[in-house]
Amino acid sequence: MKNKKIKALLLVVLSSLFILIGCSGSPKIQGKWNVQDASGEQKTIEIKDKTIIVNEEEYEYTQNAVGFKNGVSYYSLTRKDNGGTFSIVFPEKDKNTAIMLIPDSDDDYLTGSMLFAMNRKEKPDYKKYAEESLPLPYTPSPSPLLFFGLCLPS
């Protein structure tokens, strides 16, 4: 009887730990990124295991999907404060180059409005990423800062 209780408790603890770990962002997306938006403005953002920092503002997120489709890997994240969903898409095998976009639907994380061109090592070129490097259809986002709430009156 005592052995069954220990097994049940262990199962609950391990299941809870698995759920908590599953909500954290993948190490493949974490770190400092040089980004450029559609207006040409260059910034640095930092993605941590449960937060993303944009313009010194910190936003909590959960990772809700990881996938690979048509040779492209992606990570879908949801902001905890407003439920907004965005994807980080790696169009090439090089994990130093990515884009961040707002998906058009919950069914397709690869098509939507492009927020940022992202690069770990050098300053990215938004137009180049959108037109040349990316084989998927993207729509430029007029202001990614609206998504992160930085241009809205408080």
Side-chain angles (χ1 to χ4, degrees):
M1 182 74 151
K2 196 174 191 181
N3 201 13
K4 285 184 180 182
K5 286 184 180 181
I6 292 173
K7 286 182 181 178
L9 179 61
L10 184 61
L11 180 64
V12 169
V13 169
L14 290 176
S15 297
S16 299
L17 183 60
F18 178 74
I19 290 170
L20 289 174
I21 291 171
C23 294
S24 295
S26 169
K28 291 183 180 180
I29 63 171
Q30 292 179 35
K32 290 191 178 187
W33 290 88
N34 300 305
V35 299
Q36 185 181 49
D37 63 22
S39 73
E41 187 173 352
Q42 296 279 347
K43 300 182 183 321
T44 301
I45 65 172
E46 184 174 4
I47 301 173
K48 297 183 178 184
D49 64 343
K50 296 184 182 197
T51 59
I52 183 168
I53 301 168
V54 180
N55 281 358
E56 300 178 13
E57 294 286 331
E58 196 165 333
Y59 303 92
E60 291 186 352
Y61 73 87
T62 57
Q63 182 175 305
N64 58 343
V66 176
F68 190 80
K69 182 178 176 183
N70 299 328
V72 176
S73 61
Y74 64 87
Y75 298 82
S76 177
L77 310 174
T78 301
R79 281 184 50 182
K80 283 189 174 183
D81 61 343
N82 68 6
T85 300
F86 56 101
S87 298
I88 297 176
V89 178
F90 294 93
E92 302 169 3
K93 289 184 181 182
D94 176 14
K95 298 300 182 204
N96 292 313
T97 303
I99 64 162
M100 183 182 289
L101 61 87
I102 300 172
D104 288 338
S105 72
D106 293 335
D107 299 342
D108 186 1
Y109 300 108
L110 300 177
T111 305
S113 299
M114 187 170 153
L115 294 171
F116 295 119
M118 303 171 63
N119 193 300
R120 291 185 196 272
K121 296 181 178 179
E122 53 193 47
K123 293 186 186 242
D125 183 327
Y126 183 98
K127 288 182 182 179
K128 179 180 174 187
Y129 280 40
E131 294 170 0
E132 297 172 12
S133 301
L134 306 174
L136 303 169
Y138 297 103
T139 304
S141 177
S143 178
L145 297 181
L146 289 175
F147 178 78
F148 286 103
L150 300 175
C151 294
L152 301 175
S154 48

